[in-house]
C-alpha cells in the first residue's frame, strides 16, 4: 500500500472469489470498529497484491487480517 487510499474506488475489483471465502476468517471487531473499515482495508490489500493463485489469496487474506489486528492494537494503545 504505497499510495494514498481512496475509499471511493470500486470495491468490486478487489472482491474475494467465492471459492476462497471459506479461507477468510470472520473479522474480529472491537467496540468502536466498523465492518466497513475492515472491508476497505481488505479491498486495498487485495488491490495492491492482486493475488492470482490460491497461495497468493491465502497470503493476501492473512496480510489484511494481520494489518487489521495491528491497527486495533495501535488504537487501543493510544486510548490508554
Amino acid at each position: 500500500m504505497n499510495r494514498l487510499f481512496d475509499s471511493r474506488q470500486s470495491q468490486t475489483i478487489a472482491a474475494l472469489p467465492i471459492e476462497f471465502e471459506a479461507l477468510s476468517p470472520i473479522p474480529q471487531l472491537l467496540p468502536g470498529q466498523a465492518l466497513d473499515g475492515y472491508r476497505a482495508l481488505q479491498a486495498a490489500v487485495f488491490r495492491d497484491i492482486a493475488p492470482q493463485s490460491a497461495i497468493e489469496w491465502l497470503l493476501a487474506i492473512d496480510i489484511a487480517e494481520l494489518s487489521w489486528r495491528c491497527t486495533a492494537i495501535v488504537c487501543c494503545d493510544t486510548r490508554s
Side-chain angles (χ1 to χ4, degrees):
M1 299 190 309
N2 297 326
R3 63 187 180 286
L4 292 176
F5 175 69
D6 182 4
S7 62
R8 296 172 297 180
Q9 285 180 312
S10 171
Q11 300 296 316
T12 58
I13 62 168
L16 183 66
I18 288 177
E19 61 266 24
F20 299 123
E21 283 183 0
L23 305 175
S24 184
I26 297 170
Q28 301 296 310
L29 302 176
L30 296 174
Q33 290 181 318
L35 182 59
D36 289 343
Y38 175 82
R39 295 288 182 221
L41 173 70
Q42 186 182 54
V45 169
F46 291 170
R47 268 194 309 277
D48 281 356
I49 295 175
Q52 300 297 312
S53 66
I55 193 68
E56 289 175 354
W57 275 107
L58 280 171
L59 291 170
I61 291 166
D62 286 347
I63 290 168
E65 178 67 21
L66 292 171
S67 296
W68 182 255
R69 289 183 187 183
C70 288
T71 302
I73 291 169
V74 169
C75 287
C76 288
D77 265 0
T78 58
R79 291 182 188 166
S80 304

